[in-house]
Amino acid sequence: MAGAAETPAAAGVSHVYPHGSRLNERGRLEIGGCDVIELAEEFGTPAYVYAEDDMRIRAREFLSAFERRTDRFEVVYASKAFPCTAVYKLMAEEGLSCDVASGGELFLALRGGFDPAKIYMHGNNKSVAELEYAIEQGVGTIVIDSFDELERLERMAPGQRVMLRVTPGIKPDTHAYISTGQEDSKFGFGVDEVPRAIAAIENLDLVGLHAHIGSQVFQLDPYEKLAEVLTGVGEYPRLNLGGGLGIAYTQDQKPPSIDSYVESLLRGAPDGVTVLCEPGRSLVGNAGVTIYRVGTVKSIPNVRTYVAVDGGMSDNLRPMLYGAHYEAEIADRFGGHSLCTVAGKHCESGDILVSDVLLDEPRPGDVLVTPATGAYGHAMANNYNGIPRPPVIFCRDGDARVVVRRDTYEDLAARDAV
Ligand code: PLP
């Protein structure tokens, strides 16, 4: 498998880039053995470029971290991070289970070949149609989020295997928009409400409790505490401790290893319980980069230099939504000393992908790369300003294949009813 031989530092790129990335003899970034300047020429820009092996390596790291410690576990891919048929297929091949947060994600998971029995259905407001679809497809476990849903499922699916989603009152140190474990949340049952929910279950097969405290979490103690809180609520054969393990978006960030994260999950859980986790970004986030073409460079003396690329908030909403920080480089001239702001092409002043980054004298025609866009990039892509969404390209051992094609202008009109 590519990617294991050279350390990122030796390859001239940091740990923010996918496993196996390097600067090649021509000083150009290579992902999965493919020269990204050549990818830009062949597939156009912007484009999401993934090292396929990176996702496989991380999936195996999760599995082996558990296997070394227990045989009672399940690693569930939180597919909202990157809901794409090719990734569902990859994660299914690696032996993971899968969580879906809507009927649409369920459709894609089934299309990718996931065994319905290994699918967990989430959502704080699953529609009746989505529940019917899940039941009809034989979804293994439905995670109940509210009293209304509980009542609905009692009527619709006697015998269905379910878990209860709990808000454990744990607030990790992360952005408020991606913090979900606190009491004041639209998700799940408060700890005090769980007994009433359990008492209301008559016909369903309750196998355990679920909680997801939030995302992009770097501390491990909340996970230990989480297992303890859920255990305090009642004894169940299965505890699903959600996702949330943070990743490095910038070089200075050093997230905990997958191994130490798994160790923390298991430390708080009692013996004999099957522990589940739902990693999303930690499986796919660092596997992907976005490549853009620089269109214009506008220097405002003593103010700022705007480097405008051919994408923006339509392909990466996270900086605008959460103030997320990214890095950028010119793909064939890493390093540099020109302080720049990377702007998108949308009609919003807030369409800034990276503020304050040092680049090497960027000029029109350069290929610019932003690393760590593998999670919630493609997932949140949109057509604002009538921009066609980028393709997804998987690279492995020097071969590149398009797994999602670029939108066409015709696609923009595909839903027109006139
Ligand atoms: N599980 C649930 C229920 C979630 O809502 C999410 C993300 O929102 C995840 C797992 C995955 O989180 P992450 O991508 O941060 O690992």
Side-chain angles (χ1 to χ4, degrees):
M1 184 182 281
E6 209 166 11
T7 65
V13 297
S14 78
H15 62 293
V16 176
Y17 285 82
H19 280 295
S21 304
R22 63 172 196 134
L23 296 181
N24 66 19
E25 298 66 32
R26 300 165 80 185
R28 295 167 160 200
L29 176 65
E30 237 179 56
I31 304 280
C34 298
D35 177 322
V36 303
I37 304 279
E38 288 171 11
L39 293 177
E41 277 152 21
E42 187 176 349
F43 301 105
T45 53
Y48 301 114
V49 175
Y50 285 80
E52 191 177 330
D53 282 347
D54 181 287
M55 294 179 275
R56 294 190 187 274
I57 288 169
R58 291 180 209 266
R60 290 172 198 182
E61 266 179 59
F62 269 100
L63 293 172
S64 63
F66 274 105
E67 276 159 9
R68 281 197 297 278
R69 297 174 169 93
T70 177
D71 52 3
R72 291 173 192 273
F73 71 91
E74 205 171 325
V75 179
V76 185
Y77 170 48
S79 67
K80 59 186 67 89
F82 187 17
C84 151
T85 306
V87 183
Y88 285 107
K89 187 167 177 292
L90 183 154
M91 295 299 176
E93 280 168 7
E94 292 299 330
L96 270 53
S97 301
C98 174
D99 104 41
V100 297
S102 70
E105 286 183 2
L106 173 56
F107 171 79
L108 292 172
L110 295 170
R111 196 161 184 271
F114 260 103
D115 173 357
K118 292 179 83 171
I119 296 180
Y120 289 75
M121 176 87 173
H122 279 294
N124 72 303
N125 184 17
K126 305 171 192 74
S127 69
V128 170
E130 285 175 319
L131 289 173
E132 279 169 355
Y133 180 39
I135 295 158
E136 173 195 301
Q137 295 297 324
V139 161
T141 311
I142 299 180
V143 184
I144 301 182
D145 221 279
S146 66
F147 283 105
D148 290 319
E149 186 179 296
L150 196 160
E151 196 190 303
R152 242 166 250 157
L153 270 181
E154 281 279 332
R155 274 185 279 112
M156 293 171 70
Q160 170 71 45
R161 199 161 115 135
V162 298
M163 296 183 100
L164 288 184
R165 178 162 179 170
V166 180
T167 43
I170 297 174
K171 195 177 174 320
D173 183 17
T174 191
H175 194 286
Y177 289 2
I178 48 176
S179 179
T180 51
Q182 72 279 9
E183 231 170 296
D184 181 1
S185 167
K186 69 171 185 168
F187 299 104
F189 298 90
V191 172
D192 297 345
E193 286 182 323
V194 175
R196 189 156 69 89
I198 292 170
I201 293 178
E202 287 176 9
N203 302 314
L204 301 167
D205 176 18
L206 177 64
V207 294
L209 303 177
H210 168 280
H212 169 70
I213 57 173
S215 286
Q216 188 56 4
V217 178
F218 274 46
Q219 318 107 290
L220 293 178
D221 41 316
Y223 291 105
E224 273 180 53
K225 195 165 155 210
L226 176 58
E228 283 163 24
V229 170
L230 292 188
T231 306
V233 173
E235 277 177 33
Y236 291 96
R238 300 168 80 76
L239 285 184
N240 185 336
L241 303 178
L245 175 62
I247 65 164
Y249 284 95
T250 51
Q251 279 186 50
D252 54 306
Q253 292 183 315
K254 304 275 185 295
S257 66
I258 288 172
D259 196 67
S260 53
Y261 166 73
V262 167
E263 170 73 30
S264 301
L265 293 181
L266 291 173
R267 200 177 295 146
D271 287 345
V273 167
T274 299
V275 173
L276 290 76
C277 68
E278 294 173 336
R281 94 185 54 222
S282 53
L283 279 171
V284 297
N286 289 110
V289 308
T290 308
I291 55 172
Y292 301 96
R293 188 75 73 172
V294 174
T296 62
V297 178
K298 174 186 174 182
S299 288
I300 310 170
N302 303 320
V303 179
R304 189 179 288 277
T305 297
Y306 285 98
V307 177
V309 295
D310 51 1
M313 62 196 295
S314 52
D315 58 74
N316 187 1
L317 207 49
R318 296 190 66 258
M320 303 83 199
L321 207 54
Y322 317 129
H325 293 289
Y326 286 85
E327 291 181 353
E329 293 284 1
I330 303 300
D332 54 354
R333 298 193 309 280
F334 266 51
H337 304 286
S338 310
L339 184 62
C340 301
T341 289
V342 180
K345 63 178 287 159
H346 294 275
C347 302
E348 306 268 341
S349 293
D351 177 31
I352 300 295
L353 287 166
V354 191
S355 37
D356 298 338
V357 61
L358 293 172
L359 297 174
D360 183 4
E361 305 292 337
R363 41 190 183 260
D366 278 341
V367 173
L368 181 139
V369 57
T370 52
T373 56
Y376 305 102
H378 165 80
M380 292 186 185
N382 60 80
N383 291 121
Y384 181 43
N385 290 140
I387 304 289
R389 287 166 301 178
V392 178
I393 297 161
F394 275 14
C395 298
R396 186 178 204 193
D397 295 339
D399 289 327
R401 63 187 173 111
V402 176
V403 298
V404 178
R405 67 161 172 78
R406 185 184 305 284
D407 272 339
T408 62
Y409 285 160
E410 283 301 317
D411 289 332
L412 299 178
R415 293 181 301 133
D416 282 0
V418 290

